[in-house]
Amino acid sequence: MPKLSDNAMKNAVAQKDGSFDGHFYYGVITTGVFCSPSCSTKAANPENLRFFLDIESAMQAGYRPCKRCNPAGQDERTQQLIDVARYIETHAEDKMTLTQLGNIAGVSPSRLQRSFKDMFGVSPKHYQDAVRMRKFKRSLKEGERVTDAIYSSGYGSISRVYGEATRNIGMTPKAYRAGGKGEIIHYACRETALGFMIMAATDKGVCSVQFGDDKDSLLTLLGDEFPEARLVLSAAQDAPELDSWMLALDQHMSQGAPRPDVPLDIRGTAFQIKVWQFLLSIKEGDVMSYGEVAAHIDNPKAVRAVGTACGKNPVGILIPCHRVLRSDGSLGGYRWGLERKRTLLDMERARR
Ligand SMILES: [Zn+2]
């Protein structure tokens, strides 16, 4: 088959054309899932599609295989190998043995070596090298702005990006203090189940999600956070991604749709990032105390600091800081008002 153009692939997806299955895959940036062209799921906005010629590149960019069309195949063995690849991606800097990896797939080390290579075209060791190299080049390209480098690496799943990046993440205090100097930040407002929401994004990802009673106060909050940036109001047609992320986030809040997998461009101290990363693992309908979070990040005495980090969460709901309470079950604090925290938790409990 000749090289496929983006347009040819967009058409194939629009027509769910099964004759292209196996020739390419498409990822949907708003869900973080990748599919075969013939997948029967509802058509995504063409703007939100990313194309891949093989499963490996889709996975490397952080997409998960779709459960409906199962682009990676029905085979249990295939799924296990994907688990191994995922493990390598999230532990790229660790030493790992074939025995260890074999255990993940439930096969012997030599069997793993063979079947991994059959599927991905490279050995687990080379796969790990490739992941490391990719990360290395990425950071080099971006100089000191490691945080940015992480988020510019693609529209992958937030949790995966965090999981990979824990050791490097953290911003230079200089960049933080600069208040977004020289940056252009697009924003839009929308009415949601929690009142007005403002969402703002740099060219690398969402940098702010806040809630308030009216648009003016939200714009003031945004201006306080990025005093040096140029803030540009974006009409839906000018910023389709921003618009679709806002819609997806509203549906996540009000209807329990999956948390949208949007790229983030957030800055914090290493400690804050660690807390925020952990918060992503608290599932809808669950809650934890500030103390439990502190214990989970191996810093049991940092209860108060955990509370402060929650209060500094730049992206409400996307990082679910509302799921952290006082140990006596009382609500504690919430950056956007206790009433909103209560409403959110009630909605989430009701859907359990
Ligand atoms: Zn699918």
Side-chain angles (χ1 to χ4, degrees), residues 18 193 197 202 234 253 261 284 341 350:
M197 166 169 78
T202 65
S234 294
M253 279 188 275
D261 238 343
E284 174 174 304
K341 187 173 189 175

Side-chain angles (χ1 to χ4, degrees), residues 26 33-41 65-71:
Y26 71 92
V33 165
F34 76 95
C35 290
S36 288
S38 70
C39 181
S40 60
T41 45
C66 164
K67 290 213 169 89
R68 187 171 303 186
C69 65
N70 204 355

